[in-house]
Amino acid sequence: MSAGESSVRLTVGQALVRFLAQQRTERDGVEQRFFAGCFGIFGHGNVAGFGQALAESAHRDPAELPYFQARNEQAMVHAAVGYARMKNRLRAFACTTSIGPGATNLVTGAALATINRIPVLLLPGDIFSTRVANPVLQELEDPRSYDVSVNDTLRPVSRYWDRINRPEQLIPAALAAMRVLTDPAETGAVTLALPQDVQAESFDWPREFFARRVWHVGRPVPEPGALDRAVEAIRTAQRPLVVAGGGVIYSEATEQLRQFAELTGVPVAETQAGKGSLPWNHLSSVGAIGATGTTAANELAREADVVIGIGTRYSDFTTASRTIFARPDVRFVNINVAGFDAAKQAGESVVADARTALTALSGRLAGWAVDPAYRTRATELSARWQETVDEAYGIGREAAKAAKPGQLLAQTEVLGAVNDAAGERGVVINAAGSMPGELHKLFRTRDPKQYHVEYGYSCMGYEIAAGLGVKMADPDREVIVLVGDGSYLMLAQEIVTAVQEGVKLTIVLVQNHGYASIGSLSESVGSERFATSYRYRNPKTGALDGDVLPVDLAANAASLGADVIRAGTIDELRSALDKAREASRTTLVHVETDPLGEAPSSQAWWDVPVASVSTLESTRRAREEYDGHKPAQRHYL
């Protein structure tokens, strides 16, 4: 083969587009394109390089690497995360930005992706590699080194980070990026910083670089010794408890978990990311665990002698800040594809895929089961909690069905209506405020993919953008975005993208005129809900405690292109949700709720330090309560 036949001359931008279009993943014999497309916003740092390459690609084949126009760089990452999470991390998006603020706007989204172990490829423009035009527009001049740009802020929040200073560097960097993106144990945000002059520079690329490449996403099996130790620990347990995390769902191991639970009788509690691992009404399901958990799961957690963590990273909400697993002799068996997470809580570490590990455990535990009385106790505790859910949702209460004129709905009643509207497969999306905690303990999941609450980073503004990504990933599902007024004000622009692309969302905007979650937390730590409501500043006192601000977010959504329905009663809300489901366009349902409404208690703790000295009596009382909880914290050694 001649040199001309063995290579092709392209710019770095053109080469990268062709490379990305040829990447595939395969798991369990199912092969698919890895990149569904590229979100982007163009500026001088990417329009002439990667942007030109995308334009050329669109002329050649619009399906090669489809481009989607975003409105905010942070939001485009959220949309990519929503998509990849819905696809169980087997497909993803790339995101391109200009240099400067476009690039730094990626940081929050990158942190969210990495914390939640979700793949997304970030392609920010960068300064000139040649430095011939320095300082260029939006360049950060660091007197310590000319090799520093604002893109270096993405280093700590990326699982892999590289800067392509020469065309030939793209080949190993692109392959390394794909290795990380497709590895369940390593995945997260991956950043390839692209100097704008290098993007447009040409190079003779080996044709092999653009060959169709399949990345096998394996199912690591448990090491025999580790499996032996796990089986031994479980067989000695009298009160074992499974903690199902997101790894169960990403591994598509929900059926294997169900079989394990039915075989052994071990009750199953769920983290935020793992919610939906079992249907809510399964006999082994005891619901959410931890600081936002059910009383059923938390009571069993306090009594558990062996905790079987499957695909969980044991966040402080899951462990109630390391207080919920209260037995002095409690032991942990941790099944996780990542050794980093499997080693937590000083547990027996089983580094393996959740599905293969559960299958192996079920085989080895054949004939073993918990005492029938323990199984019955778990079922009874769960049934008792479901009565609490009925009460919170307003089921059977006439006042909840037809609220009195002027009476604001409780937020839990809104969640109950949304739960009904979601049906068997509808996806509910949320991320921040008081709703994640209430959804975790109350929402009745029927399908593994219908609960989509981002609580690794709990990022305000995630909701609407993620809803866009989720709907793009599974257009046949009803997607209901739950967003508070605080989060809406942070990041609502992707409504425009949804309208532009004909992606139909139902957005339920819960208006309580402030930060309800932080207001409640502020009160609990003795800070008296300081500055957590949206109010005029009082000219006499200088405090933000005047009248409610006349902000009309429903009108704002209409101006962005959404259809809007206002609901004041529970009946109006249910009717609005029905209309939104039947609509063909993105529809926002606006509902006001009581900002002081309370949800059922999880009877668990979350460690938020309280001022040790204060002139406020409320803070002193809160500190006394805080000091009372601290002795219960453990290292689980």
Side-chain angles (χ1 to χ4, degrees):
M1 181 179 291
S2 67
E5 293 174 332
S6 64
S7 65
V8 57
R9 192 161 190 84
L10 300 168
T11 68
V12 168
Q14 293 161 2
L16 183 54
V17 167
R18 292 198 186 192
F19 173 84
L20 297 180
Q22 292 301 317
Q23 306 309 300
R24 305 286 194 276
T25 57
E26 178 273 323
R27 185 170 73 177
D28 301 332
V30 178
E31 184 181 310
Q32 53 195 317
R33 293 181 62 171
F34 184 66
F35 288 103
C38 180
F39 287 110
I41 297 177
F42 292 120
H44 71 284
N46 64 341
V47 67
F50 195 69
Q52 185 279 334
L54 286 169
E56 189 173 291
S57 171
H59 279 283
R60 181 172 57 250
D61 179 4
E64 185 175 61
L65 190 67
Y67 173 77
F68 297 90
Q69 189 178 64
R71 270 69 197 174
N72 177 279
E73 292 87 357
Q74 177 184 326
M76 73 169 75
V77 185
H78 294 336
V81 167
Y83 182 94
R85 175 171 169 174
M86 201 66 184
K87 290 293 188 180
N88 288 328
R89 308 189 293 200
L90 298 173
R91 300 198 71 194
F93 265 87
C95 297
T96 179
T97 75
S98 185
I99 74 169
T104 53
N105 278 352
L106 294 172
V107 175
T108 297
L112 181 146
T114 297
I115 285 172
N116 285 284
R117 293 18 176 206
I118 304 293
V120 58
L121 176 62
L122 308 180
L123 303 171
D126 212 326
I127 57 178
F128 277 52
S129 177
T130 58
R131 303 176 185 171
V132 66
N134 290 24
V136 299
L137 178 64
Q138 299 175 334
E139 178 177 350
L140 172 72
E141 291 189 273
D142 189 329
R144 295 167 297 178
S145 172
Y146 281 127
D147 194 40
V148 174
S149 80
V150 295
N151 287 338
D152 288 85
T153 61
L154 287 158
R155 285 181 184 264
V157 292
S158 299
R159 293 296 291 169
Y160 177 82
W161 187 101
D162 208 345
R163 178 177 283 123
I164 312 302
N165 284 309
R166 292 294 309 137
E168 54 267 38
Q169 293 175 352
L170 178 65
I171 296 175
L175 292 171
M178 286 303 305
R179 173 188 60 80
V180 173
L181 288 167
T182 58
D183 184 345
E186 293 291 327
T187 196
V190 167
T191 299
L192 296 181
L194 302 171
Q196 54 189 297
D197 53 343
V198 177
Q199 289 182 49
E201 188 174 343
S202 61
F203 182 73
D204 291 322
W205 304 90
R207 290 188 181 274
E208 292 86 351
F209 184 51
F210 309 116
R212 181 172 169 277
R213 191 177 300 274
V214 180
W215 299 83
H216 173 67
V217 181
R219 293 193 180 277
V221 299
E223 186 268 325
L227 186 61
D228 289 342
R229 292 186 292 273
V231 169
E232 180 183 3
I234 295 170
R235 281 187 176 276
T236 62
Q238 299 297 312
R239 295 177 177 274
L241 177 68
V242 165
V243 176
V248 173
I249 294 174
Y250 297 140
S251 177
E252 298 175 343
T254 55
E255 176 61 20
Q256 287 71 27
L257 177 62
R258 182 191 64 78
Q259 293 172 0
F260 174 83
E262 292 174 358
L263 172 75
T264 63
V266 179
V268 176
E270 298 169 325
T271 70
Q272 281 278 13
K275 191 170 174 69
S277 295
L278 283 184
W280 72 273
N281 54 358
H282 190 279
L283 289 177
S284 294
S285 175
V286 293
I289 191 169
T292 55
T294 71
T295 53
N298 287 346
E299 190 165 337
L300 293 174
R302 293 186 182 95
E303 301 170 357
D305 53 359
V306 173
V307 177
I308 308 167
I310 308 173
T312 177
R313 63 190 187 94
Y314 287 114
S315 77
D316 62 340
F317 264 74
T318 297
T319 67
S321 299
R322 297 196 174 191
T323 63
I324 202 69
F325 306 115
R327 278 182 62 133
D329 60 345
V330 65
R331 291 182 294 165
F332 294 84
V333 172
N334 299 327
I335 299 166
N336 205 294
V337 73
F340 176 77
D341 290 319
K344 291 177 178 176
Q345 316 293 82
E348 293 291 353
S349 177
V350 181
V351 180
D353 170 75
R355 183 192 283 189
T356 61
L358 281 166
T359 299
L361 279 180
S362 293
R364 292 285 299 276
L365 290 170
W368 177 88
V370 301
D371 188 284
Y374 180 58
R375 190 188 296 224
T376 299
R377 171 171 163 71
T379 302
E380 291 174 347
L381 287 172
S382 184
R384 194 179 308 161
W385 175 257
Q386 292 307 322
E387 294 175 0
T388 302
V389 177
D390 286 347
E391 178 67 19
Y393 278 0
I395 296 174
R397 286 192 290 119
E398 202 59 34
K401 294 179 179 178
K404 298 175 182 177
Q407 178 179 335
L408 293 176
L409 292 174
Q411 185 168 272
T412 56
E413 294 176 285
V414 173
L415 302 188
V418 169
N419 207 157
D420 288 344
E424 296 292 323
R425 298 183 71 251
V427 184
V428 64
I429 299 172
N430 190 241
S434 57
M435 283 189 281
E438 295 181 10
L439 285 165
H440 191 209
K441 67 182 73 169
L442 298 177
F443 196 83
R444 289 166 165 164
T445 50
R446 301 170 176 87
D447 178 274
K449 300 304 293 186
Q450 75 171 153
Y451 185 85
H452 189 116
V453 174
E454 188 284 299
Y455 216 57
Y457 208 41
S458 187
C459 184
M460 296 178 71
Y462 173 81
E463 297 90 342
I464 294 172
L468 172 66
V470 168
K471 187 69 172 181
M472 291 172 69
D474 198 340
D476 293 335
R477 289 183 186 254
E478 174 73 359
V479 174
I480 305 175
V481 175
L482 272 166
V483 60
D485 52 316
S487 279
Y488 182 94
L489 284 167
M490 290 274 185
L491 206 60
Q493 301 95 307
E494 299 316 306
I495 289 176
V496 179
T497 306
V499 171
Q500 179 183 41
E501 296 293 341
V503 175
K504 181 254 175 167
L505 304 175
T506 294
I507 302 169
V508 179
L509 173 55
V510 180
Q511 171 67 274
N512 51 37
H513 301 284
Y515 304 117
S517 174
I518 297 303
S520 178
L521 179 62
S522 173
E523 187 172 48
S524 72
V525 298
S527 297
E528 301 178 338
R529 294 182 178 264
F530 175 74
T532 58
S533 295
Y534 294 156
R535 300 289 188 272
Y536 281 108
R537 187 173 298 281
N538 189 322
K540 295 181 180 179
T541 65
L544 294 172
D545 60 0
D547 291 337
V548 173
L549 295 176
V551 176
D552 191 340
L553 298 182
N556 175 263
S559 76
L560 297 178
D563 292 340
V564 172
I565 306 173
R566 298 176 188 263
T569 67
I570 194 67
D571 287 340
E572 290 175 354
L573 175 59
R574 292 184 183 277
S575 175
L577 289 170
D578 289 340
K579 292 178 182 177
R581 182 174 58 250
E582 298 303 319
S584 59
R585 302 181 71 256
T586 289
T587 302
L588 183 138
V589 178
H590 180 278
V591 58
E592 293 212 24
T593 60
D594 182 357
L596 301 179
E598 294 185 357
S601 172
S602 65
Q603 298 180 11
W605 185 59
W606 184 39
D607 189 347
V608 177
V610 180
S612 57
V613 295
S614 176
T615 59
L616 298 177
E617 175 60 27
S618 59
T619 304
R620 292 197 295 269
R621 287 196 305 268
R623 181 66 194 199
E624 289 178 7
E625 184 175 346
Y626 179 80
D627 289 339
H629 285 290
K630 287 294 286 184
Q633 279 186 307
R634 302 175 55 190
H635 290 288
Y636 297 123
L637 295 174

